[in-house]
Every structure is written in structure tokens, then in C-alpha cells.
Amino acid sequence: MNDLPFWKSKTLAEMTAAEWESLCDGCGLCCLNKIEEWDSGDIYFTSVSCKLLDGESCRCSSYENRWDFVPDCVQLTKENVPDIAWLPPTCGYRLVNEGHDLYWWHPLVSGDPETVHAAGISARGRTINENEIDIDDLEDYVVDWPLTVGEKDDEEA
């Protein structure tokens, strides 16, 4: 009998739809606007969130109908996760795909959806909605914290 949790015993491709959805830790980092340099391909996170991101829950306010409002919303799939370079280093999909375990604060490990926020991993309290800025000023909002969240915990471990 296999007593390992599903994210340790299955590949992304083997997961059920419910298991797949539960890998999302609710951090909201993937819903931040990003800037890609055309010549180098470098990607920069901003503190500007998608208009559908609920800044308190860090969840999409219209998940089932998001493409009606944000046609270019990227849906993570079992096929495209390996190719999405901008997934934050703490992302459950990225971690499992790369053969790593989930962090202690992930709701599947902690049993509490608030631990991702308590650990300071999420976008909660750090963003501005894209409807509140002039999109021509997006470069003024470039931040590095989506790529460095959790590093203090990593060093202490």
C-alpha cells in the first residue's frame, strides 16, 4: 500500500482533475502582470495584478469565466507547465514537475489555506490592480519578490 501523498507518488500527467487543482497554493503570483524583453526573452514580474485577482484571497474572482474577461489568461496544463519559465520557484506545479516536495506552508501539507499568506509567500497586500494604473507605466512596477519569496525559509532549513 502506498502511503505517500499523491504529489510524491504521481507525475503531473497521472493526477486527477481534483488533485491537479489542489496543487495551486493560492499565492496569486502567477496572476501578476509580467514584462518580457523581446530581444532577450527575459521576464520581469510586476506588482500589478490581473483585474480578476482578489487581492485578499489571492484567487481569481471569476475563475470559471476568466477568458470572457481576460482572453490571454494562461491556463496551466499538464502539458505546458514544463515550458512556462515564469512560474514562481515556490509554485506547486513547478515543484512537482521538477521532482521537489511541496513547502510546509502549502495547503496540502499544512492543511490550512492561510499558511501560504502567513508565511509571506503570497501576493496578499503587495499588489495594485491593473485597472488602477496606466498600462504605459507598467515598467515602474517591476519587482523581484515573486522570485525570492521563501528564500529566507530555505536558508534556515
Side-chain angles (χ1 to χ4, degrees), residues 93-110:
Y93 298 101
R94 180 176 181 170
L95 291 168
V96 170
N97 183 63
E98 294 175 353
H100 303 292
D101 198 0
L102 301 177
Y103 289 98
W104 67 268
W105 46 258
H106 192 289
L108 286 172
V109 177
S110 70

Side-chain angles (χ1 to χ4, degrees), residues 4-24 76-79 81 91-102 106 108:
L4 291 175
F6 73 87
W7 65 88
K8 290 184 178 184
S9 62
K10 293 183 177 183
T11 65
L12 294 178
E14 295 169 330
M15 291 182 188
T16 66
E19 290 169 340
W20 174 264
E21 288 295 323
S22 70
L23 272 184
C24 177
L76 299 182
T77 66
K78 298 170 184 182
E79 295 76 28
V81 164
C91 175
Y93 298 101
R94 180 176 181 170
L95 291 168
V96 170
N97 183 63
E98 294 175 353
H100 303 292
D101 198 0
L102 301 177
H106 192 289
L108 286 172

Side-chain angles (χ1 to χ4, degrees), residues 31-102:
C31 298
L32 299 178
N33 283 270
K34 296 145 202 83
I35 299 171
E36 181 176 1
E37 286 189 8
W38 293 106
D39 56 344
S40 68
D42 291 342
I43 298 171
Y44 301 93
F45 277 83
T46 72
S47 59
V48 178
S49 69
C50 170
K51 62 185 169 188
L52 297 179
L53 183 69
D54 177 312
E56 180 62 22
S57 70
C58 291
R59 295 288 185 166
C60 183
S61 63
S62 188
Y63 185 70
E64 295 301 321
N65 302 307
R66 62 193 181 274
W67 293 290
D68 293 342
F69 306 101
V70 184
D72 61 345
C73 178
V74 175
Q75 178 174 359
L76 299 182
T77 66
K78 298 170 184 182
E79 295 76 28
N80 71 8
V81 164
D83 300 322
I84 301 178
W86 50 258
L87 286 175
T90 55
C91 175
Y93 298 101
R94 180 176 181 170
L95 291 168
V96 170
N97 183 63
E98 294 175 353
H100 303 292
D101 198 0
L102 301 177

